[in-house]
Amino acid sequence: MSQNTQNPYFYTLDGTQLEIVGATYVYIYNDNSTSNESVTIANNETGQSINLQASCVMELSPDRGNTLQTLILTPNGDNLVYVTMIGGTAQIL
């Protein structure tokens, strides 16, 4: 059996934006221990966005062999947002 050699990347956002490009998997947890604010997840290519409420989780993974389009995560307040990403690149904005 072969090993999966993809390395996960972990980010903690505390009011800063994160831009994710070409990931094969993204897990987002919006913690409510500091505030009950949402986090906005926006698709940079289509302009669509969704607000993830406090204490909620979102998992994103494309069809096999594909990658996700550019996503921008923006915490709406001083809440902590935990992100796990496989593949692609990310940068704090």
Side-chain angles (χ1 to χ4, degrees):
M1 179 154 86
S2 65
Q3 285 186 322
N4 183 347
T5 58
Q6 295 179 339
N7 294 319
Y9 297 92
F10 304 100
Y11 299 92
T12 301
L13 306 180
D14 58 354
T16 56
Q17 286 186 319
L18 179 68
E19 180 184 64
I20 298 173
V21 179
T24 58
Y25 174 82
V26 177
Y27 173 91
I28 305 158
Y29 170 63
N30 186 11
D31 186 20
N32 75 337
S33 62
T34 54
S35 77
N36 281 322
E37 297 290 335
S38 65
V39 58
T40 301
I41 303 162
N43 181 325
N44 198 42
E45 305 299 322
T46 65
Q48 295 175 317
S49 65
I50 187 171
N51 285 329
L52 182 65
Q53 299 305 313
S55 297
C56 290
V57 170
M58 178 177 275
E59 292 183 72
L60 301 166
S61 60
D63 293 336
R64 183 177 170 177
N66 294 315
T67 59
L68 295 168
Q69 289 185 334
T70 301
L71 301 173
I72 298 178
L73 283 58
T74 307
N76 298 315
D78 60 354
N79 52 326
L80 292 175
V81 178
Y82 300 101
V83 179
T84 302
M85 177 187 86
I86 296 176
T89 60
Q91 68 177 353
I92 302 287
L93 301 177

